[in-house]
Amino acid sequence: MKFCQNCGAEINENAVVCVNCGCAIAPEKKEPTPATDGMALAIKIFLIIGCIAQGWMVLPLAWCLPITISTFKKFKTGEPVGTGLKVCALLFVNTIAGILMLCRSDDK
């Protein structure tokens, strides 16, 4: 069962407002979980390969590394990866990693 944060009355699990005091019920926050699936590992590997492959040109590392690091952080914290970051990875780091990221569902 769920209880009102204001008055402590027992309320329905799906309640939006407490019937006892009329206080709005805040939705429960879900804690993000780190991405530990096989597709996340494959994406990480292909991002690293893309950075290494373009590393000899030096200048592309200015965008390869931030995209790769940002993606790694989002996977570690369990945050969803935005479509913009996925497309940037597709275009500027590694095509395979970008395609895998676009195919991957972030609502785990």
Side-chain angles (χ1 to χ4, degrees):
M1 287 313 277
K2 200 169 157 183
F3 296 94
C4 176
Q5 302 97 337
N6 189 41
C7 68
E10 189 174 329
I11 54 174
N12 188 348
E13 292 289 327
N14 300 324
V16 180
V17 177
C18 176
V19 293
N20 189 39
C21 68
C23 182
I25 305 299
E28 292 181 19
K29 296 180 183 178
K30 295 181 182 176
E31 288 295 322
T33 56
T36 56
D37 58 346
M39 190 177 280
L41 178 63
I43 291 168
K44 289 178 181 180
I45 291 170
F46 281 113
L47 286 174
I48 291 171
I49 290 171
C51 286
I52 292 170
Q54 295 182 36
W56 65 273
M57 293 185 278
V58 181
L59 185 60
L61 288 178
W63 56 81
C64 287
L65 288 176
I67 291 170
T68 301
I69 292 168
S70 179
T71 304
F72 272 56
K73 284 182 182 176
K74 289 192 180 285
F75 282 163
K76 184 177 182 179
T77 61
E79 296 177 48
V81 180
T83 305
L85 184 60
K86 292 176 181 180
V87 172
C88 286
L90 171 77
L91 296 175
F92 300 119
V93 183
N94 187 292
T95 306
I96 297 171
I99 292 170
L100 288 174
M101 288 171 69
L102 286 168
C103 293
R104 183 174 184 271
S105 174
D106 282 332
D107 52 353
K108 299 262 180 223

